Amino acid sequence: MTLNSYNVIILDCDGVIFNSNLLKVEAFKKALNQYSPDIVEKFSTYFKNNFGTSRYHLAKIFIEEFLNQDFDEDLYQKILKDYGNSCILLYKESEYTYKFINFIQYYKNKKFYIASGGDENELKEVFKEKKIDHYFENIFGSPRKKIDLVAEILLENKEKEIIMIGDAKTDFLASQANDIDFIYMSKYSLVKNTMNCLAKEYTFTAINNLGDLIGE
């Protein structure tokens, strides 16, 4: 399969550009290391099953549903700060997914966007530091919802053929809500069973890695 018929390609970040999914789970564990290992492990399972969800939502869920506490703004901000600091470090260590550079150079005449559950300012900083920001028209992330990020990209590209590539349910739902095509990239996904079931039900394309889209 190729993407020659599309003008705009939207990419998720973790698990599509960076091999960072498991690193992010570990980063959240590190940010919560003062709590009961049992609670943290249960939350980590929840995080994996809902990968791609904004950290702002996850931190709130942890406080209210896993700690069973009323929302605490100071605790919320501390969790976000600790997790954010860990994420910046992990991106520096993360490798690109297989064939990412080949893929983005192969389709260099397309318009690329990022729509990620990761923090937008953090992602922009990381992409600039890694010198890949110039490949993208814009880099969008949380705290806005992914559905809204994709909607904004559509507004910027009216009457264009648009497709999204992601590895989690949030990516598919954002594509579906905005009525654009979707490709599931499985190699680094943490929710393979869920995505395989969705692929069968909704018959969207599944690939192993980005090299599959350039014949490599």
Side-chain angles (χ1 to χ4, degrees):
M1 178 183 180
T2 68
L3 304 181
N4 293 332
S5 62
Y6 296 96
N7 311 109
V8 177
I9 302 170
I10 305 172
L11 300 178
D12 177 42
C13 181
D14 299 299
V16 174
I17 294 176
F18 295 112
N19 180 11
S20 50
N21 286 348
L22 288 174
L23 292 175
K24 279 208 158 180
V25 175
E26 291 305 312
F28 230 128
K29 279 186 174 182
K30 184 177 179 181
L32 304 173
N33 63 8
Q34 68 268 46
Y35 300 103
S36 159
D38 183 56
I39 290 175
V40 173
E41 198 57 44
K42 287 178 180 177
F43 175 75
S44 296
T45 299
Y46 175 86
F47 184 16
K48 289 178 185 177
N49 291 337
N50 294 274
F51 202 84
T53 303
S54 162
R55 70 184 63 176
Y56 299 90
H57 175 73
L58 290 169
K60 188 172 186 293
I61 288 289
F62 178 74
I63 294 168
E64 295 179 344
E65 298 188 16
F66 287 84
L67 295 182
N68 292 314
Q69 296 179 191
D70 291 335
F71 181 75
D72 182 323
E73 181 67 28
D74 290 339
L75 176 56
Y76 174 73
Q77 293 298 335
K78 183 181 186 304
I79 292 172
L80 290 177
K81 181 180 179 181
D82 291 347
Y83 179 59
N85 289 338
S86 293
C87 283
I88 290 172
L89 292 175
L90 77 83
Y91 276 126
K92 291 179 180 179
E93 300 171 1
S94 293
E95 297 179 350
Y96 295 127
T97 60
Y98 182 70
K99 295 292 182 179
F100 162 68
I101 294 296
N102 305 65
F103 167 81
I104 206 161
Q105 290 177 344
Y106 184 88
Y107 290 110
K108 61 185 178 182
N109 294 325
K110 308 290 185 183
K111 292 175 71 174
F112 280 96
Y113 288 84
I114 296 295
S116 172
D119 182 80
E120 183 170 308
N121 292 330
E122 182 181 289
L123 290 175
K124 287 180 176 178
E125 178 183 336
V126 168
F127 276 56
K128 184 175 181 180
E129 183 173 330
K130 286 184 170 284
K131 297 181 172 57
I132 58 171
D133 55 317
H134 65 280
Y135 288 116
F136 298 92
E137 294 292 320
N138 216 326
I139 298 165
F140 295 123
S142 61
R144 290 183 294 163
K145 295 180 180 178
K146 195 170 291 189
I147 287 175
D148 297 329
L149 301 180
V150 174
E152 181 172 338
I153 295 168
L154 266 64
L155 282 175
E156 292 184 8
N157 296 277
K158 293 179 179 178
E159 299 182 7
K160 302 290 187 182
E161 292 297 319
I162 302 173
I163 193 166
M164 182 168 186
I165 303 172
D167 69 329
K169 187 176 180 179
T170 52
D171 304 314
F172 167 65
L173 293 177
S175 301
Q176 185 186 49
N178 287 283
D179 196 27
I180 61 171
D181 290 341
F182 175 72
I183 293 176
Y184 160 51
M185 181 171 143
S186 66
K187 185 174 177 65
Y188 307 91
S189 177
L190 298 183
V191 287
K192 288 183 171 67
N193 289 339
T194 296
M195 295 306 294
N196 288 336
C197 289
L198 286 172
K200 289 179 181 178
E201 182 177 355
Y202 292 96
T203 63
F204 52 73
T205 299
I207 60 171
N208 179 261
N209 62 77
L210 294 174
D212 293 342
L213 298 173
I214 56 175
E216 295 187 11

